């Protein structure tokens, strides 16, 4: 996958992935993440994650609802984490291939465009 801007990726739609393709290498993922402030690689290069501290519990739930709508529209679903009522995180990977695909970066770009009420 060539490195693409967040704006370019946000205009794309996730494509169905049922496996049978190789995941993006950790090196390719690291290069792509240079375009994604705040996101980091986790699970030995197999996932990407971003964390925020929101104003309150309700702000976190509103953000998760917005994430859910974007994810459902693209058919690609993140793991959403809420800890300590204000600490929210989004984790992405393509389950069918056990690693990262372009879909993960498309959804990350779209999530980065969502409003979020930070602390």
């Amino acid at each position: 996958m060539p490195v693409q801007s967040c704006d370019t990726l946000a205009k794309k739609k996730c494509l169905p992935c049922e496996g049978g393709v190789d995941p993006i290498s950790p090196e390719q993922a690291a290069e792509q993440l240079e375009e994604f402030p705040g996101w980091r690689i986790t699970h030995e290069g197999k996932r990407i994650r971003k964390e925020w501290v929101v104003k309150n519990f309700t702000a976190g739930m509103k953000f998760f609802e917005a994430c859910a709508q974007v994810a459902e529209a693209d058919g690609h679903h993140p793991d959403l984490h809420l800890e300590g009522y204000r600490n929210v995180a989004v984790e992405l990977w393509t389950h069918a291939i056990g690693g990262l695909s372009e879909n993960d970066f498309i959804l990350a770009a779209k999530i980065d465009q969502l409003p979020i009420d930070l602390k």
Side-chain angles (χ1 to χ4, degrees), residues 47-112:
R47 300 180 187 183
I48 57 173
R49 179 182 177 102
K50 187 170 182 178
E51 300 167 349
W52 301 262
V53 178
V54 294
K55 186 174 181 179
N56 53 38
F57 179 80
T58 303
M61 297 311 294
K62 280 179 65 176
F63 177 64
F64 282 167
E65 178 61 29
C67 287
Q69 290 176 7
V70 169
E72 192 62 21
D74 265 17
H76 190 62
H77 303 95
D79 284 358
L80 305 174
H81 303 272
L82 173 66
E83 298 176 11
Y85 82 90
R86 289 187 5 199
N87 302 301
V88 298
V90 174
E91 198 165 60
L92 293 162
W93 80 99
T94 302
H95 299 80
I97 61 172
L100 294 166
S101 73
E102 183 180 51
N103 287 346
D104 301 302
F105 295 97
I106 290 170
L107 192 55
K110 291 178 180 185
I111 288 170
D112 274 350

